[in-house]
Amino acid sequence: DAKTTQPPSMDCAEGRAANLPCNHSTISGNEYVYWYRQIHSQGPQYIIHGLKNNETNEMASLIITEDRKSSTLILPHATLRDTAVYYCIVRVATGGGNKLTFGTGTQLKVEL
Amino acid sequence: EPEVTQTPSHQVTQMGQEVILRCVPISNHLYFYWYRQILGQKVEFLVSFYNNEISEKSEIFDDQFSVERPDGSNFTLKIRSTKLEDSAMYFCASRFRGDYNEQFFGPGTRLTVL
């Protein structure tokens, strides 16, 4: 699975959009970008995933650059409850047990 | 909304004792996982399980660890002889099927080995 690079921490004002970047310059054509988050030692929570098109769901939007070497997770209106560690994970869609390999992620702190 | 549940929420044990951590995955899910997170460290994959057998395991998952799906609902992780370094949060996860589906994680069991 491709390696990812994320900033260790970010701050965001409540109500503003939180834009979390992820670099994955060695991504292969069959690898997807997944985003999970972990709120204060709770179990990780799936947010969104994509291959090359931008994706949106009720939680967030995922913007993947055309060359697929980086992506941005957007929380459109961050709230205090979005304070968490956000993990960008790149992995193939098929094969093995589909384990997730977590890095250190980005600690997002949403403040008033 | 269906969710993964885990029991107990906190387990304290003496070094050398056996522990069994229990998980109830989401009912129609077919793939099951255990991960662990030592305090302040990354979430680490331990094992994946499908069709009543282990499909992948990490180097951490040595002979002291075993998994079982004893009935149609429970998924257990057994540590035969606990060590101090086994102290961690243990997360169970499950996935429906297909390779793209997300994994749903439980709230975790905090294991403390004294």
Side-chain angles (χ1 to χ4, degrees):
Chain A
D1 297 338
K3 182 179 176 178
T4 61
T5 304
Q6 299 178 252
S9 65
M10 293 183 66
D11 293 332
C12 179
E14 189 178 34
R16 305 297 291 270
N19 297 283
L20 294 101
C22 179
N23 284 317
H24 32 79
S25 58
T26 61
I27 193 170
S28 300
N30 62 345
E31 289 182 314
Y32 283 68
V33 181
Y34 288 82
W35 283 85
Y36 281 75
R37 72 180 183 183
Q38 186 177 26
I39 298 173
H40 189 55
S41 295
Q42 295 178 21
Q45 178 189 21
Y46 166 83
I47 301 172
I48 199 167
H49 76 276
L51 181 62
K52 51 185 176 183
N53 296 322
N54 298 337
E55 302 288 344
T56 295
N57 63 20
E58 65 278 4
M59 288 183 69
S61 294
L62 174 60
I63 309 297
I64 303 174
T65 57
E66 195 168 336
D67 63 7
R68 302 209 324 122
K69 293 185 177 182
S70 65
S71 60
T72 302
L73 178 75
I74 301 172
L75 308 179
H77 305 288
T79 71
L80 298 177
R81 287 179 295 180
D82 292 320
T83 293
V85 179
Y86 288 77
Y87 300 100
C88 170
I89 298 170
V90 172
R91 59 153 291 119
V92 294
T94 61
N98 288 84
K99 69 179 182 185
L100 294 170
T101 302
F102 290 84
T104 52
T106 295
Q107 172 68 64
L108 175 68
K109 187 175 180 183
V110 181
E111 301 171 303
L112 293 171
Chain B
E1 187 174 322
E3 58 183 19
V4 176
T5 60
Q6 291 185 242
T7 55
S9 56
H10 191 188
Q11 173 95 43
V12 181
T13 190
Q14 295 292 324
M15 189 170 55
Q17 295 296 304
E18 174 184 287
V19 295
I20 297 176
L21 308 183
R22 291 184 166 81
C23 169
V24 179
I26 294 172
S27 61
N28 63 345
H29 284 192
L30 302 177
Y31 298 80
F32 313 108
Y33 306 83
W34 284 101
Y35 293 81
R36 80 171 187 189
Q37 186 174 32
I38 295 170
L39 186 64
Q41 297 187 22
K42 300 177 189 179
V43 177
E44 300 174 288
F45 167 78
L46 292 178
V47 65
S48 59
F49 191 86
Y50 170 70
N51 200 25
N52 280 323
E53 59 183 28
I54 291 173
S55 46
E56 189 174 2
K57 60 182 181 180
S58 71
E59 291 179 354
I60 302 168
F61 195 88
D62 61 21
D63 293 343
Q64 292 300 311
F65 291 87
S66 62
V67 289
E68 193 177 33
R69 189 156 160 80
D71 53 42
S73 58
N74 291 285
F75 179 51
T76 61
L77 174 69
K78 181 192 291 186
I79 309 174
R80 282 187 240 293
S81 178
T82 50
K83 303 188 274 280
L84 295 176
E85 53 265 38
D86 293 327
S87 294
M89 281 289 286
Y90 288 80
F91 296 108
C92 172
S94 69
R95 180 168 68 89
F96 177 43
R97 66 181 185 185
D99 296 302
Y100 313 100
N101 290 4
E102 63 268 30
Q103 293 182 23
F104 290 81
F105 284 76
T109 292
R110 178 169 299 285
L111 177 64
T112 302
V113 183
L114 303 176

